[in-house]
Amino acid sequence: MKKVLMKGNEAVAEAAIMAGCRHYFGYPITPQNEIGAYMSARMPKIGGVFLQAESEISAINMVYGAAGAGKRVMTSSSSPGISLKTEGISYLCGADLPCVIVNIQRGGPGLGTIQPSQADYFQCVKGGGHGDYKTIVFAPSSVQEMADLAVEGFSAAEKYRMPVMILSDGTLGQMMEPVALKYPAPKLPTSDWAATGTQGKRKPNVINSLFLLCEQLESAVVSRFERYKTVVQNETRVEEYQTEDADICIVAFGISARVGRGAVNLARAQGLKVGLIRPITLWPFPSSTIEKAAQKVKAFLTVECSMGQMVEDVRLATAGKKPVHFFGKAGGTIPSPEQVLAEIIKIGGVK
Amino acid sequence: MAVTNYLLAGFGGQGVLFAGKFLANLGLIEGKYVSWLPSYGPEMRGGTCNCSVVVSDEPVGSPVVSAPDVLMVLNLPSLDKFENTVRAGGTIYMDTSFIERKPVRKDVKVVALKAAKEASENGMLGLANMILLGKLLADTAQTSINKALEESISAKRTDMLALNLKALAKGKSL
């Protein structure tokens, strides 16, 4: 299939449409505005809904409504906007509603900067909102993967009845790369739990996250966590690059993984045995891959565009068996492969 | 592994992003891995802009070009900002219509054209970017150039195709 150049933001939007998403609610914020712009141009032509809400809070609650009605629905924003959406995300999880939420991260905290960042790891992977819940978090590292994971995101969201977050960043959203978008025709959900109208033939379905009796809430939460166990079993994804004989293993996701891959190539050219583990899902986190690597490598180097967030999950997975070093950049800056190589040499990468 | 890192910079409106898109499409047509990354930060709001293009035989790692093999600059602030970043042995393509000073670096090749002046004198106003690219791509197969241009120009602006080709040819001849 012929490849064309597309921005990550455009690719994720088109892929969502190809996956059968016909409802998009959002509010503008750089660096993800191409998603809304693309949806506003395409949705009216295909009988879909594009709606620019009055705020991110409003948009995520529109997602709640559409998801509750059994529709395939998406929203997108960037870091400060995701902060505003977290209340709604908690409610979506509490009501077991599927949707896809795209976060094109920018530097924070606060209004921060519009430049790329990965400092929303804790927010998106560990919750952000209140209560016991998880969201599946995909971390694409190319424009093609932004599209592919959006398509798979809808399936996973509906299969497990939970929100899926695409955790990307300003670089991947703004950059163009060759992509081929080809997916099987979408099988739209037949959600027997959705509030679609009873036609007088069945009991009403109720979409709700409120439980007045604590025993009922406990049982809902516990059964949700049983479901999460199957997500961990089925959906954990990871890519390894040159790890077979690696002494030092870089762990990085998204844009940092691309930098890490460049650093592996530089290191290998100098005869250093360096590999890369790239989590594709951040929750569920590929702990077992890292645990296994800990038996062979001498040390890990976690690389992030933050002051160090995923590194905590890498340390948990290694359980103190091997040193886990960290190299990061903050405030919207991205490390270079050369800087990562220098760090590898500093922590004892030898020929 | 062959990889070329391009950095293109100038004022907004000088066609820096388009020139980069054209280079990326050209790489794609020639079977390479490519990436195109625009500056979208505060510099964009201030009127100058730049973009990174990587054309490689292997999957592109970081799309951020911090040490370009080829730097193309269309204004003085861009030369001032990026001259020192060029890899030793690299090349600077510059439009001397607006840049009065010469590069200080002695370890890089410099290709200097009065591209904007040529453009306005030959009925190609605003196509200094393509004149410089014509020079840069003098050895590239014409069929690839034609295809890349078709891919890069939006369906609404196909009237610009002939003029862009003319500008590329002009640059090649200089």
Side-chain angles (χ1 to χ4, degrees):
Chain A
M1 192 190 175
K2 189 187 161 188
K3 288 191 170 185
V4 293
L5 287 181
M6 265 183 127
K7 281 191 168 198
N9 284 339
E10 296 164 346
V12 78
E14 179 57 32
I17 288 171
M18 291 174 84
C21 171
R22 290 294 178 275
H23 296 78
Y24 172 90
F25 307 102
Y27 186 80
I29 182 169
T30 306
Q32 63 81 56
N33 283 323
E34 291 82 359
I35 300 176
Y38 195 94
M39 291 301 198
S40 73
R42 287 277 279 130
M43 281 301 195
K45 290 182 186 154
I46 53 174
V49 174
F50 162 84
L51 202 154
Q52 182 174 316
E54 69 272 31
S55 73
E56 288 87 346
I57 298 171
S58 181
I60 194 72
N61 284 294
M62 290 174 183
V63 169
Y64 183 102
K71 298 298 181 188
R72 218 162 254 190
V73 56
M74 179 165 114
T75 186
S76 64
S77 193
S78 178
S79 310
I82 296 293
S83 291
L84 288 167
K85 287 184 196 289
T86 47
E87 179 194 65
I89 294 170
S90 171
Y91 278 64
L92 282 154
C93 292
D96 297 311
L97 292 175
C99 65
V100 171
I101 302 159
V102 182
N103 181 1
I104 307 294
Q105 294 170 92
R106 57 188 256 179
L111 215 44
T113 173
I114 61 175
Q115 305 286 45
S117 168
Q118 296 183 315
D120 299 354
Y121 181 92
F122 282 151
Q123 182 192 47
C124 294
V125 175
K126 303 294 176 184
H130 59 281
D132 273 329
Y133 74 86
K134 299 282 183 191
T135 52
I136 295 174
V137 182
F138 284 136
S141 81
S142 68
V143 174
Q144 182 71 52
E145 212 174 32
M146 283 200 47
D148 295 349
L149 291 177
V151 174
E152 291 175 41
F154 284 104
S155 312
E158 283 155 15
K159 185 173 175 188
Y160 302 104
R161 281 185 66 184
M162 60 193 291
V164 168
M165 178 86 74
I166 311 265
L167 189 63
S168 184
D169 71 89
T171 319
L172 289 162
Q174 290 295 325
M175 70 187 281
M176 284 201 291
E177 278 190 309
V179 287
L181 303 185
K182 194 171 190 299
Y183 306 104
K187 230 177 95 191
L188 290 174
T190 47
S191 311
D192 55 6
W193 49 263
T196 52
T198 65
Q199 315 290 331
K201 288 175 187 160
R202 61 163 168 81
K203 280 190 185 165
N205 287 329
V206 178
I207 307 295
N208 184 25
S209 70
L210 174 67
F211 295 82
L212 291 177
L213 296 174
C214 57
E215 293 80 8
Q216 283 180 6
L217 176 58
E218 185 188 31
S219 125
V221 171
V222 167
S223 83
R224 193 171 297 131
F225 271 71
E226 283 301 314
R227 202 173 347 129
Y228 291 162
K229 280 186 196 164
T230 64
V231 178
V232 172
Q233 273 168 14
N234 298 341
E235 305 299 332
T236 308
R237 295 186 200 195
V238 62
E239 181 188 55
E240 293 184 60
Y241 179 63
Q242 307 224 11
T243 50
E244 299 82 10
D245 62 341
D247 290 330
I248 290 179
C249 192
I250 298 171
V251 186
F253 70 97
I255 187 67
S256 293
R258 296 179 70 121
V259 175
R261 193 184 166 102
V264 168
N265 291 342
L266 289 176
R268 290 273 168 182
Q270 294 190 11
L272 304 175
K273 288 181 181 167
V274 179
L276 169 74
I277 292 177
R278 176 173 78 91
I280 299 171
T281 49
L282 299 177
W283 192 85
F285 192 71
S287 305
S288 60
T289 305
I290 288 164
E291 201 184 329
K292 229 162 65 191
Q295 293 163 10
K296 298 192 296 181
V297 304
K298 293 187 178 121
F300 293 91
L301 174 64
T302 306
V303 180
E304 299 175 66
C305 296
S306 74
M307 294 304 285
Q309 300 191 12
M310 183 183 72
V311 63
E312 294 191 3
D313 283 334
V314 178
R315 288 196 177 119
L316 276 175
T318 53
K321 284 194 196 88
K322 294 288 161 63
V324 178
H325 302 272
F326 174 74
F327 180 65
K329 298 271 283 168
T333 59
I334 295 175
S336 70
E338 289 78 11
Q339 286 171 328
V340 175
L341 176 65
E343 207 60 26
I344 288 166
I345 290 165
K346 205 163 96 187
I347 65 170
V350 285
K351 283 175 200 179
Chain B
M1 181 185 98
V3 52
T4 310
N5 294 294
Y6 297 92
L7 188 64
L8 300 89
F11 290 121
Q14 283 186 302
V16 163
L17 299 184
F18 177 81
K21 188 179 169 187
F22 172 69
L23 279 175
N25 265 314
L26 189 62
L28 175 58
I29 281 159
E30 297 196 323
K32 310 277 191 186
Y33 292 94
V34 300
S35 69
W36 172 97
L37 176 69
S39 61
Y40 67 92
E43 63 269 50
M44 185 172 88
R45 317 285 155 122
T48 66
C49 81
N50 69 75
C51 77
S52 295
V53 176
V54 181
V55 179
S56 174
D57 287 336
E58 292 208 0
V60 178
S62 175
V64 182
V65 172
S66 47
D69 303 297
V70 175
L71 172 69
M72 187 174 116
V73 285
L74 298 175
N75 65 7
L76 181 61
S78 299
L79 181 66
D80 290 345
K81 188 173 178 188
F82 296 118
E83 180 180 348
N84 282 330
T85 67
V86 180
R87 216 178 275 277
T91 310
I92 299 176
Y93 287 81
M94 56 189 279
D95 185 352
T96 46
S97 314
F98 301 124
I99 308 174
E100 288 179 357
R101 79 166 176 87
K102 290 194 172 85
V104 180
R105 294 273 299 271
K106 298 292 172 217
D107 58 345
V108 297
K109 197 179 150 198
V110 177
V111 179
L113 296 181
K114 287 205 177 302
K117 189 164 163 282
E118 290 286 344
S120 65
E121 283 171 3
N122 290 283
M124 300 180 252
L125 201 64
L127 290 181
N129 59 340
M130 302 312 279
I131 289 181
L132 277 172
L133 278 186
K135 187 76 179 170
L136 169 67
L137 302 169
D139 298 328
T140 306
Q142 191 63 42
T143 47
S144 303
I145 285 181
N146 293 352
K147 260 195 246 169
L149 205 54
E150 279 168 30
E151 290 293 331
S152 305
I153 290 180
S154 80
K156 290 176 196 154
R157 296 304 304 273
T158 46
D159 55 310
M160 290 300 291
L161 202 63
L163 205 57
N164 274 276
L165 279 172
K166 203 176 140 193
L168 286 165
K170 182 75 200 168
K172 190 174 174 176
S173 75
L174 292 172

